């Protein structure tokens, strides 16, 4: 699967983060596995451990996100994953409209690993929670650094302000695997 170099929105430059990439590691019958890698992560603020709980407002600090929309449809899904292991999942019927909690067969598994200057964040998401293929998707991140400074990272951005729900952030497509 392709690795995407996420870019910060020009209105929210990072302090110490020098790069952020994200990718789908594996798409198997039961799990979709994702990875984000943050370079220059020495000043990143990580929320305290919360365990595998559903929680709102995760985007208010360091949070990794996946947006998915069935191709040629208005409705979409937002998944939020925190290094605290808390998570959230929402359905929308249109652009920022009709938000409701998405039913999940089981919680995603969130695994942060932090080194001196690198943060690797892996997520295993049950495939039963995903919309039907083919879909377009966006991998995004909110990064909080010391002092409350936040930068907003995505595969692509709208011009005027960070907005992960905007059409521009659904920058890649995933098809059903081809059978031999």
């Amino acid at each position: 699967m392709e690795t995407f170099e996420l870019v910060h929105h020009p209105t929210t430059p990072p302090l110490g983060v020098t790069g952020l990439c994200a990718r789908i590691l594996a798409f198997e019958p039961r799990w979709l596995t994702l990875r984000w890698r943050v370079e220059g992560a020495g000043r990143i603020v990580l929320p305290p451990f919360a365990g595998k709980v559903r929680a709102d407002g995760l985007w208010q600090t360091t949070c990794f996100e996946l947006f998915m929309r069935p191709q040629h449809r208005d409705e979409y899904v937002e998944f939020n994953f925190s290094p605290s292991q808390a998570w959230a999942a929402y359905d929308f019927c249109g652009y920022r409209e009709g938000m409701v909690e998405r039913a999940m067969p089981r919680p995603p598994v969130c695994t942060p690993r932090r080194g001196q200057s690198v943060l690797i964040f892996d997520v295993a998401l049950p495939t039963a929670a995903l919309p039907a293929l083919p879909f377009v998707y966006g991998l995004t991140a909110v990064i909080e650094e010391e002092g409350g400074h936040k930068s907003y990272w995505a595969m692509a951005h709208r011009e005027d302000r960070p907005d992960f729900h905007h059409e521009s952030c659904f920058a890649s497509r995933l098809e059903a695997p081809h059978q031999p």
Side-chain angles (χ1 to χ4, degrees):
M1 302 270 175
E2 185 176 359
T3 298
F4 298 96
E5 295 292 330
L6 304 188
V7 294
H8 66 81
H9 194 275
T11 64
T12 64
L15 296 176
V17 172
T18 57
L20 201 160
C21 60
R23 67 180 300 203
I24 294 174
L25 285 178
F27 189 25
E28 299 169 349
R30 299 178 85 190
W31 296 98
L32 173 71
T33 309
L34 309 163
R35 172 170 287 168
W36 287 262
R37 180 182 175 95
V38 184
E39 300 287 341
R43 298 172 69 180
I44 289 181
V45 174
L46 296 181
F49 177 77
K52 294 179 187 178
V53 297
R54 186 181 279 241
D56 292 323
L58 298 176
W59 55 269
Q60 294 175 14
T61 186
T62 300
C63 178
F64 300 89
E65 301 178 351
L66 170 65
F67 287 80
M68 306 175 97
R69 188 184 73 228
Q71 193 170 356
H72 308 300
R73 306 282 295 270
D74 291 333
E75 66 271 8
Y76 63 97
V77 180
E78 174 186 0
F79 295 100
N80 302 152
F81 311 108
S82 171
S84 72
Q85 294 191 357
W87 59 275
Y90 306 101
D91 286 320
F92 292 84
C93 61
Y95 175 72
R96 294 188 175 273
E97 294 178 358
M99 182 176 96
V100 295
E101 284 190 354
R102 182 172 187 82
M104 294 287 288
R106 63 180 291 178
V109 178
C110 301
T111 309
R113 292 187 308 277
R114 187 175 192 169
Q116 180 110 356
S117 64
V118 174
L119 171 67
I120 296 174
F121 186 71
D122 291 341
V123 172
L125 181 63
T127 57
L130 304 179
L133 288 166
F135 54 75
V136 292
Y137 69 95
L139 296 164
T140 66
V142 176
I143 302 296
E144 182 179 0
E145 295 179 87
E146 294 170 353
H149 182 84
K150 292 182 188 136
S151 55
Y152 299 85
W153 299 74
M155 295 158 58
H157 287 281
R158 67 184 285 172
E159 290 183 28
D160 57 339
R161 62 184 169 86
D163 181 359
F164 298 153
H165 295 255
H166 189 264
E167 173 70 26
S168 61
C169 288
F170 291 86
S172 192
R173 176 184 156 129
L174 192 60
E175 303 269 349
H178 295 309
Q179 299 296 325

